[in-house]
Amino acid sequence: MAYNKAREEKKWRQWKEAEEKELRRLGVSEDVIARLHEADWDAFKVERRYSERNSDTDTYIDWQAADEVPPDIRTVQNLLDEIDNEELYRILLTEDKLTLQIAIWKMEGYTNIEIAKITGIPANAVNVRIWRLKQKIKNIL
């Protein structure tokens, strides 16, 4: 989404007014409140300049990412069905099902130790399987 300066400034002003009201309630001097206001305003302007310059380039990517629904890969067959690259598909077909299942669990966020407990193989064996699969994939890229 493109950066909306007016909306962001309005949100900043509302936040700042609430903060200053609380500071006054706590008995902070007006001089300190004014200095904080100025420092926060300068920080807001720096962030605004950054956001204005970067929002235009990210917009298309954000739209594309929002349109894509990630595939639900839970099984080895689902994984193989989602592969579009022919070379990658051939490499994955040469792997045993356990290695492919380990790859799926890694994509789901499991740690190597958790995978080792699930499969009953040592954690080092899980590490080696992942490393070897990565090396094969790197060779085709």
Side-chain angles (χ1 to χ4, degrees), residues 31-92:
D31 183 47
V32 172
I33 292 174
R35 284 187 282 156
L36 280 172
H37 184 92
E38 187 176 325
D40 287 343
W41 179 245
D42 289 341
F44 172 78
K45 290 189 294 187
V46 168
E47 186 177 332
R48 183 190 71 213
R49 281 191 295 270
Y50 176 81
S51 297
E52 285 176 335
R53 289 188 177 133
N54 287 327
S55 66
D56 292 339
T57 58
D58 294 339
T59 304
Y60 178 74
I61 295 169
D62 292 341
W63 287 341
Q64 288 297 100
D67 289 343
E68 293 180 15
V69 176
D72 187 26
I73 298 175
R74 298 267 183 224
T75 65
V76 172
Q77 190 58 46
N78 291 105
L79 173 66
L80 294 173
D81 290 344
E82 291 296 325
I83 303 299
D84 293 331
N85 185 318
E86 192 174 323
E87 290 178 79
L88 177 60
Y89 183 76
R90 276 194 236 124
I91 287 174
L92 294 179

Side-chain angles (χ1 to χ4, degrees), residues 124-140:
N124 286 341
V126 172
N127 291 340
V128 169
R129 285 176 182 257
I130 293 168
W131 182 81
R132 286 184 181 155
L133 183 58
K134 282 181 181 180
Q135 292 305 310
K136 289 180 182 179
I137 292 171
K138 282 182 184 178
N139 289 336
I140 67 163

